[in-house]
mmCIF file of all heavy atoms in Angstrom:
data_model
loop_
_atom_site.group_PDB
_atom_site.id
_atom_site.type_symbol
_atom_site.label_atom_id
_atom_site.label_comp_id
_atom_site.label_asym_id
_atom_site.label_seq_id
_atom_site.Cartn_x
_atom_site.Cartn_y
_atom_site.Cartn_z
ATOM 1 N N ARG A 672 160.882 306.529 100.109
ATOM 2 C CA ARG A 672 159.841 307.142 100.928
ATOM 3 C C ARG A 672 158.754 306.146 101.303
ATOM 4 O O ARG A 672 157.664 306.543 101.682
ATOM 5 C CB ARG A 672 159.206 308.329 100.172
ATOM 6 C CG ARG A 672 160.177 309.319 99.599
ATOM 7 C CD ARG A 672 161.076 309.964 100.623
ATOM 8 N NE ARG A 672 160.376 310.793 101.588
ATOM 9 C CZ ARG A 672 160.700 310.860 102.880
ATOM 10 N NH1 ARG A 672 161.668 310.129 103.374
ATOM 11 N NH2 ARG A 672 160.036 311.651 103.682
ATOM 12 N N LYS A 674 158.011 304.123 103.715
ATOM 13 C CA LYS A 674 157.387 304.103 105.029
ATOM 14 C C LYS A 674 156.498 305.326 105.232
ATOM 15 O O LYS A 674 155.410 305.222 105.784
ATOM 16 C CB LYS A 674 158.467 304.055 106.103
ATOM 17 C CG LYS A 674 159.305 302.794 105.996
ATOM 18 C CD LYS A 674 159.608 302.209 107.347
ATOM 19 C CE LYS A 674 160.281 300.875 107.211
ATOM 20 N NZ LYS A 674 161.304 300.650 108.233
ATOM 21 N N ASP A 675 156.986 306.480 104.787
ATOM 22 C CA ASP A 675 156.177 307.685 104.917
ATOM 23 C C ASP A 675 154.926 307.592 104.065
ATOM 24 O O ASP A 675 153.839 307.999 104.488
ATOM 25 C CB ASP A 675 156.989 308.921 104.504
ATOM 26 C CG ASP A 675 157.979 309.322 105.580
ATOM 27 O OD1 ASP A 675 158.308 308.454 106.405
ATOM 28 O OD2 ASP A 675 158.405 310.482 105.599
ATOM 29 N N PHE A 681 147.750 305.287 105.549
ATOM 30 C CA PHE A 681 147.094 304.688 106.709
ATOM 31 C C PHE A 681 146.506 305.744 107.643
ATOM 32 O O PHE A 681 145.349 305.648 108.051
ATOM 33 C CB PHE A 681 148.096 303.823 107.464
ATOM 34 C CG PHE A 681 147.576 303.246 108.750
ATOM 35 C CD1 PHE A 681 146.412 302.500 108.770
ATOM 36 C CD2 PHE A 681 148.250 303.455 109.941
ATOM 37 C CE1 PHE A 681 145.931 301.965 109.948
ATOM 38 C CE2 PHE A 681 147.780 302.924 111.127
ATOM 39 C CZ PHE A 681 146.613 302.181 111.132
ATOM 40 N N ASP A 682 147.299 306.732 107.994
ATOM 41 C CA ASP A 682 146.901 307.643 109.061
ATOM 42 C C ASP A 682 147.566 309.012 108.877
ATOM 43 O O ASP A 682 148.506 309.355 109.598
ATOM 44 C CB ASP A 682 147.324 307.020 110.406
ATOM 45 C CG ASP A 682 146.709 307.734 111.587
ATOM 46 O OD1 ASP A 682 146.123 308.809 111.385
ATOM 47 O OD2 ASP A 682 146.822 307.222 112.715
ATOM 48 N N ASN A 684 146.620 311.850 109.716
ATOM 49 C CA ASN A 684 146.571 312.695 110.912
ATOM 50 C C ASN A 684 147.749 312.435 111.840
ATOM 51 O O ASN A 684 148.322 313.361 112.401
ATOM 52 C CB ASN A 684 145.267 312.454 111.678
ATOM 53 C CG ASN A 684 144.127 313.265 111.104
ATOM 54 O OD1 ASN A 684 144.338 314.126 110.241
ATOM 55 N ND2 ASN A 684 142.927 312.990 111.560
ATOM 56 N N HIS A 685 148.103 311.156 111.983
ATOM 57 C CA HIS A 685 149.256 310.848 112.830
ATOM 58 C C HIS A 685 150.528 311.428 112.216
ATOM 59 O O HIS A 685 151.384 311.958 112.932
ATOM 60 C CB HIS A 685 149.400 309.345 113.039
ATOM 61 C CG HIS A 685 150.615 308.975 113.830
ATOM 62 N ND1 HIS A 685 150.746 309.266 115.169
ATOM 63 C CD2 HIS A 685 151.781 308.383 113.471
ATOM 64 C CE1 HIS A 685 151.918 308.850 115.603
ATOM 65 N NE2 HIS A 685 152.567 308.304 114.590
ATOM 66 N N LYS A 687 150.801 314.064 110.539
ATOM 67 C CA LYS A 687 150.806 315.483 110.899
ATOM 68 C C LYS A 687 151.184 315.669 112.359
ATOM 69 O O LYS A 687 151.955 316.554 112.711
ATOM 70 C CB LYS A 687 149.416 316.063 110.651
ATOM 71 C CG LYS A 687 149.462 317.271 109.758
ATOM 72 C CD LYS A 687 148.078 317.827 109.540
ATOM 73 C CE LYS A 687 148.136 318.681 108.293
ATOM 74 N NZ LYS A 687 146.834 318.951 107.735
ATOM 75 N N ALA A 688 150.617 314.817 113.214
ATOM 76 C CA ALA A 688 150.824 314.955 114.653
ATOM 77 C C ALA A 688 152.292 314.784 115.035
ATOM 78 O O ALA A 688 152.739 315.323 116.044
ATOM 79 C CB ALA A 688 149.965 313.944 115.414
ATOM 80 N N ILE A 689 153.044 314.015 114.239
ATOM 81 C CA ILE A 689 154.466 313.868 114.572
ATOM 82 C C ILE A 689 155.317 314.806 113.724
ATOM 83 O O ILE A 689 156.526 314.632 113.596
ATOM 84 C CB ILE A 689 154.960 312.403 114.440
ATOM 85 C CG1 ILE A 689 154.771 311.877 113.021
ATOM 86 C CG2 ILE A 689 154.254 311.505 115.423
ATOM 87 C CD1 ILE A 689 155.360 310.492 112.815
ATOM 88 N N TYR A 732 145.603 292.577 98.014
ATOM 89 C CA TYR A 732 144.928 293.005 99.252
ATOM 90 C C TYR A 732 143.996 291.913 99.759
ATOM 91 O O TYR A 732 143.813 291.744 100.968
ATOM 92 C CB TYR A 732 144.164 294.291 98.957
ATOM 93 C CG TYR A 732 143.451 294.908 100.142
ATOM 94 C CD1 TYR A 732 144.162 295.339 101.258
ATOM 95 C CD2 TYR A 732 142.076 295.097 100.129
ATOM 96 C CE1 TYR A 732 143.521 295.924 102.325
ATOM 97 C CE2 TYR A 732 141.422 295.679 101.199
ATOM 98 C CZ TYR A 732 142.146 296.088 102.296
ATOM 99 O OH TYR A 732 141.502 296.664 103.353
ATOM 100 N N ASP A 736 147.479 290.167 104.806
ATOM 101 C CA ASP A 736 147.252 291.133 105.868
ATOM 102 C C ASP A 736 148.521 291.903 106.225
ATOM 103 O O ASP A 736 148.549 292.642 107.185
ATOM 104 C CB ASP A 736 146.766 290.415 107.135
ATOM 105 C CG ASP A 736 145.258 290.297 107.156
ATOM 106 O OD1 ASP A 736 144.606 291.097 106.460
ATOM 107 O OD2 ASP A 736 144.748 289.414 107.839
ATOM 108 N N ARG A 737 149.592 291.668 105.467
ATOM 109 C CA ARG A 737 150.841 292.380 105.727
ATOM 110 C C ARG A 737 151.262 293.115 104.473
ATOM 111 O O ARG A 737 151.171 292.569 103.367
ATOM 112 C CB ARG A 737 151.964 291.404 106.100
ATOM 113 C CG ARG A 737 151.850 290.811 107.458
ATOM 114 C CD ARG A 737 151.944 291.832 108.568
ATOM 115 N NE ARG A 737 151.712 291.173 109.839
ATOM 116 C CZ ARG A 737 150.510 290.781 110.258
ATOM 117 N NH1 ARG A 737 149.454 291.003 109.507
ATOM 118 N NH2 ARG A 737 150.374 290.178 111.409
ATOM 119 N N PHE A 738 151.757 294.317 104.648
ATOM 120 C CA PHE A 738 152.065 295.117 103.474
ATOM 121 C C PHE A 738 153.180 294.489 102.634
ATOM 122 O O PHE A 738 153.097 294.461 101.408
ATOM 123 C CB PHE A 738 152.449 296.546 103.868
ATOM 124 C CG PHE A 738 152.646 297.423 102.682
ATOM 125 C CD1 PHE A 738 151.556 297.842 101.931
ATOM 126 C CD2 PHE A 738 153.914 297.803 102.282
ATOM 127 C CE1 PHE A 738 151.722 298.631 100.811
ATOM 128 C CE2 PHE A 738 154.087 298.592 101.162
ATOM 129 C CZ PHE A 738 152.998 299.010 100.427
ATOM 130 N N LYS A 788 141.505 283.605 103.296
ATOM 131 C CA LYS A 788 140.843 284.240 104.429
ATOM 132 C C LYS A 788 139.664 285.102 103.981
ATOM 133 O O LYS A 788 138.591 285.055 104.570
ATOM 134 C CB LYS A 788 141.865 285.095 105.169
ATOM 135 C CG LYS A 788 141.436 285.483 106.548
ATOM 136 C CD LYS A 788 142.629 286.006 107.324
ATOM 137 C CE LYS A 788 142.196 286.855 108.493
ATOM 138 N NZ LYS A 788 143.331 287.655 108.981
ATOM 139 N N MET B 600 145.136 320.081 117.011
ATOM 140 C CA MET B 600 146.156 319.290 116.317
ATOM 141 C C MET B 600 146.510 319.851 114.946
ATOM 142 O O MET B 600 147.385 319.325 114.260
ATOM 143 C CB MET B 600 145.673 317.843 116.136
ATOM 144 C CG MET B 600 145.524 317.050 117.418
ATOM 145 S SD MET B 600 147.028 316.992 118.418
ATOM 146 C CE MET B 600 148.146 316.065 117.371
ATOM 147 N N PHE B 602 144.669 319.678 112.311
ATOM 148 C CA PHE B 602 144.098 318.874 111.226
ATOM 149 C C PHE B 602 143.118 319.710 110.420
ATOM 150 O O PHE B 602 142.828 319.407 109.285
ATOM 151 C CB PHE B 602 143.367 317.641 111.763
ATOM 152 C CG PHE B 602 144.243 316.713 112.551
ATOM 153 C CD1 PHE B 602 143.694 315.818 113.453
ATOM 154 C CD2 PHE B 602 145.625 316.736 112.389
ATOM 155 C CE1 PHE B 602 144.498 314.957 114.187
ATOM 156 C CE2 PHE B 602 146.440 315.876 113.119
ATOM 157 C CZ PHE B 602 145.874 314.996 114.026
ATOM 158 N N GLN B 621 154.664 320.123 117.038
ATOM 159 C CA GLN B 621 154.593 318.768 116.506
ATOM 160 C C GLN B 621 155.952 318.299 116.001
ATOM 161 O O GLN B 621 156.327 317.155 116.183
ATOM 162 C CB GLN B 621 153.540 318.718 115.384
ATOM 163 C CG GLN B 621 152.125 318.788 115.933
ATOM 164 C CD GLN B 621 151.072 318.998 114.870
ATOM 165 O OE1 GLN B 621 151.360 319.526 113.801
ATOM 166 N NE2 GLN B 621 149.853 318.596 115.161
ATOM 167 N N GLN B 624 157.935 316.815 118.613
ATOM 168 C CA GLN B 624 157.320 315.625 119.228
ATOM 169 C C GLN B 624 156.733 315.939 120.594
ATOM 170 O O GLN B 624 156.854 315.163 121.529
ATOM 171 C CB GLN B 624 158.351 314.481 119.355
ATOM 172 C CG GLN B 624 159.042 314.121 118.068
ATOM 173 C CD GLN B 624 158.060 313.699 116.987
ATOM 174 O OE1 GLN B 624 157.043 313.083 117.260
ATOM 175 N NE2 GLN B 624 158.348 314.063 115.754
ATOM 176 N N ASN B 638 141.086 297.578 108.317
ATOM 177 C CA ASN B 638 141.464 296.545 107.339
ATOM 178 C C ASN B 638 142.855 296.773 106.767
ATOM 179 O O ASN B 638 143.315 296.011 105.930
ATOM 180 C CB ASN B 638 140.448 296.528 106.193
ATOM 181 C CG ASN B 638 139.127 295.968 106.644
ATOM 182 O OD1 ASN B 638 139.082 294.974 107.356
ATOM 183 N ND2 ASN B 638 138.048 296.622 106.262
ATOM 184 N N PHE B 639 143.499 297.844 107.168
ATOM 185 C CA PHE B 639 144.804 298.172 106.592
ATOM 186 C C PHE B 639 145.826 297.090 106.953
ATOM 187 O O PHE B 639 145.867 296.634 108.097
ATOM 188 C CB PHE B 639 145.275 299.522 107.132
ATOM 189 C CG PHE B 639 146.211 300.251 106.219
ATOM 190 C CD1 PHE B 639 145.708 301.094 105.241
ATOM 191 C CD2 PHE B 639 147.592 300.091 106.327
ATOM 192 C CE1 PHE B 639 146.563 301.777 104.392
ATOM 193 C CE2 PHE B 639 148.445 300.766 105.475
ATOM 194 C CZ PHE B 639 147.936 301.610 104.510
ATOM 195 N N PRO B 640 146.638 296.677 105.964
ATOM 196 C CA PRO B 640 147.565 295.563 106.231
ATOM 197 C C PRO B 640 148.794 295.961 107.051
ATOM 198 O O PRO B 640 149.909 295.946 106.551
ATOM 199 C CB PRO B 640 147.955 295.100 104.822
ATOM 200 C CG PRO B 640 147.808 296.310 103.971
ATOM 201 C CD PRO B 640 146.677 297.102 104.563
ATOM 202 N N MET B 649 155.208 303.463 114.229
ATOM 203 C CA MET B 649 154.908 304.748 113.590
ATOM 204 C C MET B 649 155.022 305.907 114.580
ATOM 205 O O MET B 649 155.227 307.052 114.182
ATOM 206 C CB MET B 649 153.504 304.727 112.975
ATOM 207 C CG MET B 649 153.411 303.884 111.713
ATOM 208 S SD MET B 649 151.710 303.664 111.167
ATOM 209 C CE MET B 649 151.978 302.572 109.752
ATOM 210 N N LEU B 657 165.438 309.991 107.406
ATOM 211 C CA LEU B 657 164.431 310.070 106.348
ATOM 212 C C LEU B 657 163.990 308.706 105.839
ATOM 213 O O LEU B 657 162.898 308.544 105.319
ATOM 214 C CB LEU B 657 164.962 310.905 105.186
ATOM 215 C CG LEU B 657 164.792 312.420 105.378
ATOM 216 C CD1 LEU B 657 165.351 313.172 104.188
ATOM 217 C CD2 LEU B 657 163.325 312.789 105.591
ATOM 218 N N LEU B 658 164.834 307.698 105.977
ATOM 219 C CA LEU B 658 164.452 306.369 105.507
ATOM 220 C C LEU B 658 163.620 305.610 106.535
ATOM 221 O O LEU B 658 163.123 304.533 106.265
ATOM 222 C CB LEU B 658 165.703 305.551 105.164
ATOM 223 C CG LEU B 658 166.492 306.041 103.968
ATOM 224 C CD1 LEU B 658 167.735 305.199 103.740
ATOM 225 C CD2 LEU B 658 165.623 306.030 102.719
ATOM 226 N N ARG B 659 163.486 306.227 107.733
ATOM 227 C CA ARG B 659 162.693 305.607 108.813
ATOM 228 C C ARG B 659 163.190 304.203 109.136
ATOM 229 O O ARG B 659 162.414 303.249 109.180
ATOM 230 C CB ARG B 659 161.215 305.549 108.462
ATOM 231 C CG ARG B 659 160.658 306.792 107.820
ATOM 232 C CD ARG B 659 160.520 307.926 108.791
ATOM 233 N NE ARG B 659 160.053 309.118 108.066
ATOM 234 C CZ ARG B 659 160.426 310.350 108.334
ATOM 235 N NH1 ARG B 659 161.279 310.606 109.313
ATOM 236 N NH2 ARG B 659 159.965 311.358 107.648
ATOM 237 N N ASN B 683 152.121 290.872 116.758
ATOM 238 C CA ASN B 683 152.151 290.447 115.351
ATOM 239 C C ASN B 683 150.775 290.359 114.714
ATOM 240 O O ASN B 683 150.644 289.963 113.565
ATOM 241 C CB ASN B 683 152.857 289.094 115.228
ATOM 242 C CG ASN B 683 154.350 289.252 115.410
ATOM 243 O OD1 ASN B 683 154.924 290.231 114.950
ATOM 244 N ND2 ASN B 683 154.967 288.324 116.137
ATOM 245 N N GLU B 688 142.323 292.405 113.771
ATOM 246 C CA GLU B 688 142.063 291.163 114.506
ATOM 247 C C GLU B 688 142.026 291.379 116.026
ATOM 248 O O GLU B 688 142.136 290.426 116.783
ATOM 249 C CB GLU B 688 143.148 290.129 114.184
ATOM 250 C CG GLU B 688 143.204 289.745 112.720
ATOM 251 C CD GLU B 688 144.444 288.928 112.379
ATOM 252 O OE1 GLU B 688 145.424 288.953 113.146
ATOM 253 O OE2 GLU B 688 144.423 288.279 111.339
ATOM 254 N N ARG B 701 151.206 303.490 120.784
ATOM 255 C CA ARG B 701 151.860 304.351 119.794
ATOM 256 C C ARG B 701 152.146 305.729 120.388
ATOM 257 O O ARG B 701 153.222 306.292 120.185
ATOM 258 C CB ARG B 701 150.992 304.484 118.543
ATOM 259 C CG ARG B 701 151.634 305.339 117.484
ATOM 260 C CD ARG B 701 150.843 305.371 116.190
ATOM 261 N NE ARG B 701 149.682 306.255 116.289
ATOM 262 C CZ ARG B 701 148.857 306.502 115.274
ATOM 263 N NH1 ARG B 701 149.071 305.919 114.103
ATOM 264 N NH2 ARG B 701 147.828 307.305 115.433
ATOM 265 N N GLN B 705 155.832 307.576 121.257
ATOM 266 C CA GLN B 705 156.200 308.897 120.733
ATOM 267 C C GLN B 705 156.854 309.758 121.808
ATOM 268 O O GLN B 705 157.490 310.768 121.509
ATOM 269 C CB GLN B 705 154.940 309.579 120.181
ATOM 270 C CG GLN B 705 155.233 310.708 119.223
ATOM 271 C CD GLN B 705 153.966 311.480 118.880
ATOM 272 O OE1 GLN B 705 152.865 310.920 118.847
ATOM 273 N NE2 GLN B 705 154.116 312.773 118.636
#
Side-chain angles (χ1 to χ4, degrees):
Chain A
R672 310 301 295 142
K674 298 221 173 143
D675 284 21
F681 175 55
D682 192 350
N684 277 351
H685 176 69
K687 234 180 200 163
I689 59 175
Y732 182 61
D736 271 338
R737 287 297 175 285
F738 185 72
K788 197 165 159 196
Chain B
M600 293 304 295
F602 300 159
Q621 287 169 336
Q624 306 302 325
N638 289 317
F639 206 88
M649 287 171 183
L657 277 180
L658 292 178
R659 317 288 176 216
N683 286 322
E688 299 169 341
R701 181 175 77 177
Q705 199 189 329

